[in-house]
Amino acid sequence: MSIIELVWLVPLFPLIGFLIIGLGRNILPKAFAGFFGSLTVLLSFGVSIATFLELNDSASKTHIVPLFDWIQAGNLLVPFSFQVDPLSALMLLIVTGIGFLIHVYSTGYMHHDAGYAKFFSYLNLFVFFMLLLVLGSNYVIMFIGWEGVGLCSYLLIGFWFTNSSYASAAKKAFIMNRIGDLGFILAVFLIYTTFGSVEFSRVFPQVANLAPGNDILTLITILLFVGATGKSAQIPLFTWLPDAMAGPTPVSALIHAATMVTAGIYMIARSNILFTLSPLTLEIIAIIGVATVILAATIAITQTDIKKVLAYSTVSQLGYMFLGLGVGAYTGAFFHVITHAFFKALLFLGAGSVIHAMSNEQDMRSMGGLKKKLPVTFITMLIATVAISGIPPFSGFFSKDEILVHAYEHNKILWVLGVIGAMFTSFYMFRMMFLTFNNKFRGTHEQEHHLHESPKSMTIPLIVLAALSIFGGFLGVPEILGGNHWLSRFLAPVFYDSSTRAGVFHLDHSTEYVLMAVSVAAALIAAAVAFVKYAKNNHVPLSDTEERGTLSKLSYHKYFIDEIYDTIVTKPLNALSGFFYKVVDKSAIDGVVNGLGKGTTEASKGLRLLQSGNIGFYIFMMVAGIVALLLYGFYNI
């Protein structure tokens, strides 16, 4: 039996971990819960590596692994089966590999938490559903995993639910994701009614026979994109992700780096043939993506909470991935998924190390001077910052450059906006580094007294992720730099070749060099500006009580988007529900029900007087009844 046929073990191990740790959370030793939770994901990672190696050597690049027939109703047949191909194989490595490092990190970070075992059971369940999403051979199994990670995000974001604001953040994430999920499930219904199946292997060949711009295809892809905007936090469904920072820092790294938020990109990449033949949808995706890049980046440059900076950075980087998808750079977008998993997981875990040392302080205005006290955290976060800023030769440079080159080929305005976004990225990331690690410490004496580097269970994952952030970009070195772009060749069987249907553009080398130079120069200039302002001149952001300029105020308050949503969506819905409660529910529905009850009560008050207890009266009523029946029968002969 081949390893690929055993791929069902990959999601099974975390599921077993969830069941054992979850059921025994009150009796299992704390050390066992952390060890076993991490071990299950490590075993999944091992099987994922073996699956990847076998697939790489296999002549066939797509394998369907059937488990059992699941749903059969009329013409609808939904088998419970997995699809192993280059796209799912790489996602397995990302989810289990990064997931394992986050599990190990959590053993140190959550060590003193009362809900330690429960936390690991939730982490295992999250990994299980994410693997289900990735491996499903049809849209129904993908949707199960899609909903499962939504449920687990609710549980993990609201893990410290005794804090009402944290519980509200969890509900916000859950509800906003449900809005997007409605689009996804409507798309699945439409796919079935159009193609008679939800299996990728049966739907995609039929799609290939359709003409570009087909109306039904456009509607399906727009609905799928609505689902992706919710899960991957794009305009207008992005405000849940910054609030999701309420969860423990390992949750932020797991949800916002490698797994849940990339589900939308994975779903579009998986369905690439549908989107390639829907040019209108691709234009919408590109525009929404680049708009999200700029909006989130301009918010991040004024935030003072270290995790909020990283949250809006995630939204912005997801925007880059959607920009790549929108301009047809599917490989580039997925390449950025991989590199982003490395450096963003590192940044979140590094931020967790800082927060751990600062006794749960997250405001960068109270930090400073930490690089001597936290040398490993500082060096690894600096590597991640250079990587996300797109500075060569670190990983972010290669993936971001590939997206920007395709954007330039597609539309020069998109490229300009992408470069501006890259400049903002470099500025706010180096601003975060300088405020956190440079100059003198600005916190309390008590915080300074307790400053220390994190334990090895937390620093070793940082070092591993730092190495991946340095070398991960070499998976896709372009030909112009002497590479052969291994990732592009590996993923080629998955992505639909549209060269016969649309023009494929290729830039000359001199233009590519200029584009690279411009994006790198923009990042370096922004980093230099941040250095002068926050490191050399020791500028500290204004306190919440100080007056800000108009643009700074708009950025700091996130353009008041949450307040706008509250005004135009939440309050009208609350007023409408209040009307239905008071008028429709209490007055109408309750009035009818209560009226029937009251009428019955009043009628029974009169009828009970007939029950006098007089036997003669009862005999008289019986005779009267018999006479009445005889008369009724006589007149109806």
Side-chain angles (χ1 to χ4, degrees), residues 435-632:
L435 283 174
T436 304
F437 294 101
N438 284 60
N439 300 313
K440 293 182 179 180
F441 184 71
R442 297 182 294 273
T444 65
H445 177 73
E446 184 69 19
Q447 288 173 329
E448 187 174 17
H449 178 70
H450 288 95
L451 285 176
H452 61 280
E453 184 60 273
S454 298
K456 288 185 178 180
S457 60
M458 294 170 65
T459 55
I460 290 175
L462 296 181
I463 294 169
V464 174
L465 288 168
L468 292 171
S469 298
I470 295 172
F471 301 109
F474 293 101
L475 291 173
V477 178
E479 293 180 5
I480 189 175
L481 297 179
N484 59 5
H485 210 307
W486 174 86
L487 186 66
S488 179
R489 292 186 294 106
F490 184 69
L491 289 174
V494 178
F495 297 132
Y496 175 68
D497 182 9
S498 61
S499 58
T500 59
R501 297 179 179 270
V504 177
F505 307 96
H506 295 284
L507 299 175
D508 58 77
H509 285 354
S510 60
T511 304
E512 284 195 57
Y513 282 128
V514 170
L515 295 179
M516 287 182 187
V518 169
S519 62
V520 172
L524 291 174
I525 291 170
V529 172
F531 172 78
V532 171
K533 184 171 184 178
Y534 297 102
K536 186 177 180 181
N537 295 335
N538 195 20
H539 175 77
V540 180
L542 298 173
S543 68
D544 292 344
T545 58
E546 292 179 282
E547 188 63 30
R548 297 173 179 271
T550 303
L551 292 178
S552 176
K553 185 177 181 180
L554 282 172
S555 172
Y556 185 72
H557 292 286
K558 307 139 195 172
Y559 298 105
F560 299 97
I561 293 174
D562 278 310
E563 289 78 2
I564 292 171
Y565 285 176
D566 189 56
T567 301
I568 66 175
V569 178
T570 306
K571 287 181 178 177
L573 284 176
N574 286 341
L576 184 62
S577 64
F579 168 79
F580 276 108
Y581 169 66
K582 293 177 182 177
V583 178
V584 178
D585 193 4
K586 289 191 72 174
S587 299
I589 298 175
D590 284 358
V592 171
V593 174
N594 293 335
L596 290 172
K598 190 173 181 180
T600 303
T601 300
E602 293 300 322
S604 65
K605 285 180 180 179
L607 290 173
R608 71 184 177 83
L609 298 176
L610 297 175
Q611 304 297 323
S612 63
N614 190 314
I615 296 176
F617 176 74
Y618 292 160
I619 294 173
F620 169 75
M621 291 301 297
M622 184 177 65
V623 172
I626 293 171
V627 171
L629 287 172
L630 291 173
L631 289 173
Y632 176 80

Side-chain angles (χ1 to χ4, degrees), residues 309-446:
V309 173
L310 296 177
Y312 281 104
S313 168
T314 298
V315 176
S316 185
Q317 295 305 306
L318 290 167
Y320 271 112
M321 298 173 204
F322 277 96
L323 172 62
L325 294 171
V327 298
Y330 297 112
T331 300
F334 192 74
F335 190 13
H336 204 53
V337 167
I338 297 173
T339 59
H340 181 262
F342 300 152
F343 56 67
K344 186 52 63 68
L346 172 53
L347 286 167
F348 270 116
L349 296 184
S353 180
V354 170
I355 295 166
H356 183 265
M358 289 288 297
S359 304
N360 296 321
E361 176 63 67
Q362 295 183 198
D363 194 327
M364 295 184 294
R365 292 171 295 193
S366 299
M367 298 178 186
L370 298 182
K371 63 181 178 182
K372 292 181 180 178
K373 297 287 187 178
L374 310 174
V376 176
T377 302
F378 168 67
I379 293 171
T380 53
M381 285 190 74
L382 180 61
I383 290 170
T385 299
V386 174
I388 194 175
S389 299
I391 298 173
F394 291 8
S395 60
F397 163 74
F398 295 100
S399 56
K400 190 175 290 187
D401 177 72
E402 185 170 344
I403 291 172
L404 290 176
V405 167
H406 278 83
Y408 182 86
E409 291 178 341
H410 186 79
N411 186 302
K412 305 300 186 291
I413 296 175
L414 293 177
W415 174 78
V416 171
L417 292 173
V419 172
I420 292 172
M423 181 178 284
F424 281 137
T425 301
S426 180
F427 176 79
Y428 66 67
M429 289 306 304
F430 278 99
R431 169 183 177 268
M432 181 197 76
M433 289 296 297
F434 296 139
L435 283 174
T436 304
F437 294 101
N438 284 60
N439 300 313
K440 293 182 179 180
F441 184 71
R442 297 182 294 273
T444 65
H445 177 73
E446 184 69 19

